[in-house]
Amino acid sequence: MASVFMRIFNLICMMLLIGHWSGCLQFLVPMLQGFPANSWVAINELQEAFWLEQYSWALFKAMSHMLCIGYGRFPPQSLTDMWLTMLSMISGATCYALFLGHATNLIQSLDSSRRQYREKVKQVEEYMAYRKLPREMRQRITEYFEHRYQGKFFDEECILGELSEKLREDVINYNCRSLVASVPFFANADSNFVSDVVTKLKYEVFQPGDIIIKEGTIGSKMYFIQEGIVDIVMANGEVATSLSDGSYFGEICLLTNARRVASVRAETYCNLFSLSVDHFNAVLDQYPLMRRTMESVAAERLNKIGKNPNLLAHREEDLGSESKTINAVVNALAAEADHVNMSDESVARLHASDRSLQELGRTLQRLTLPRPKSENNFASQDMAMTRGGEHNGRPSFHKSDTFHKESAFQ
């Protein structure tokens, strides 16, 4: 506030300074001309007056021109006086416009958050008109903005994001002090645990009748109630219980990794803080004692609404069976890998023996041993393949080579 008044004071001083020099100019020009008879100095008979009286009349004349409220005691009588009057009026109008602009800007900057809220609401109204939303929905949207922002709009994420980690943590802890004080779960918890939780919370607002949690869906977050009342609604529409300030809900499916066991409906306007499942697991992994505390509370709630409280135990058994299954799959894959390695070695030995047989066949061909009379033509095929291989410049291969290669690729 002091800086605002200082800026206004500076503007007034600037305007007076311009008026001072304009008044000096109003008197200096007639004086250089020898005080003509039609000049305002001669008309007012100020040629021999005291300098303070001369300065006062000159300043009055200049300020009258600058504020556009008159020409002093007499209008300009000469051409020089007329031009000086126009110059004073132009400089005065410029200063007046600057003064009004700066004053308006200062007044608006006194409550910038409210101005941003009005601009946001105006933008939302234009959007609703463009989309032709129903009147009832428009009313709900307007009431939501009024309740959530309370006439002021802040980009809190941007503001907190520019702070240091320690300072941001201190600000969030201070903002959530009422929540921490109202939630019994936080009252007896470790301060480090509370700090880790509140720094990961997200503020949300729900209107009366909103379904916060729907039964049968997969949960992605839990909620802490700062202000408001919610109803726990069963599948048949019966209200099992109600929760109010300081309570929390939605943790059961995060602990059991199951679907929502009941619906939660807002009975009044509810100011809630949500904690995502990733942040939930990250915090509870560091504080296993708090996990067990939440599991015991969740078991009591399941028993209260008529659900099986052994879901948490089943969850642990499922995790154990899943780990056993994973271990069995890993062992099977390891055994199969060993078998594949043994098969590769067998294929390599077969290739080596096959090459030995081919060398033996070539040696027998060079010795030109007498062939037995037979109907088969394996030898002629070997000779043809040998000649073909020598002709093409590539080594010959046996049919078993193809078989082994195909087996190896399989």
Side-chain angles (χ1 to χ4, degrees), residues 214-227:
K214 188 175 182 181
E215 182 179 2
T217 59
I218 298 177
S220 60
K221 59 180 72 172
M222 67 171 295
Y223 298 90
F224 296 90
I225 304 177
Q226 183 186 36
E227 182 181 359

Side-chain angles (χ1 to χ4, degrees), residues 33 111 288 354:
Q33 292 178 347
D111 199 355
D354 186 69

Side-chain angles (χ1 to χ4, degrees), residues 234-254:
M234 306 305 298
N236 56 5
E238 181 182 355
V239 178
T241 185
S242 297
L243 302 176
S244 59
D245 301 0
S247 301
Y248 63 91
F249 58 91
E251 81 286 358
I252 296 177
C253 68
L254 302 187

Side-chain angles (χ1 to χ4, degrees), residues 35 57 67 102 131 148 151 160 167 181 251 316 336 359:
F35 297 116
W57 282 107
L67 298 178
H102 280 281
R131 292 298 182 183
R148 179 181 177 90
L160 295 178
L167 188 57
E251 81 286 358
E316 295 178 357
E336 184 178 354
E359 293 295 335

Side-chain angles (χ1 to χ4, degrees), residues 329-392:
V329 171
V330 171
N331 294 332
L333 291 174
E336 184 178 354
D338 294 340
H339 178 70
V340 170
N341 293 333
M342 293 177 62
S343 301
D344 293 340
E345 294 176 358
S346 301
V347 170
R349 287 196 296 270
L350 289 173
H351 278 290
S353 61
D354 186 69
R355 286 193 295 271
S356 300
L357 291 174
Q358 290 181 5
E359 293 295 335
L360 180 59
R362 294 191 186 94
T363 304
L364 293 175
Q365 289 175 5
R366 287 195 296 271
L367 294 175
T368 62
L369 296 176
R371 300 178 185 173
K373 294 181 180 180
S374 175
E375 297 294 334
N376 64 66
N377 57 352
F378 287 116
S380 61
Q381 289 178 0
D382 290 341
M383 291 294 293
M385 291 171 64
T386 302
R387 288 192 297 270
E390 293 174 355
H391 178 72
N392 296 331

Side-chain angles (χ1 to χ4, degrees), residues 60-78:
F60 171 73
K61 182 177 177 62
M63 294 300 296
S64 300
H65 299 164
M66 292 179 63
L67 298 178
C68 302
I69 58 176
Y71 300 102
R73 288 186 63 182
F74 301 100
Q77 300 295 325
S78 63

Side-chain angles (χ1 to χ4, degrees), residues 136-150 203-210 212 224-231 243-245 249 265-272:
E136 182 181 356
M137 186 177 296
R138 296 187 186 187
Q139 183 66 24
R140 290 181 58 196
I141 294 175
T142 303
E143 292 177 355
Y144 174 84
F145 271 88
E146 291 177 355
H147 183 84
R148 179 181 177 90
Y149 296 107
Q150 301 293 322
Y203 181 71
E204 298 186 27
V205 174
F206 292 91
Q207 294 175 295
D210 288 351
I212 304 174
F224 296 90
I225 304 177
Q226 183 186 36
E227 182 181 359
I229 300 175
V230 299
D231 293 336
L243 302 176
S244 59
D245 301 0
F249 58 91
R265 183 182 60 210
E267 185 66 20
T268 62
Y269 269 99
C270 295
N271 300 334
L272 309 179

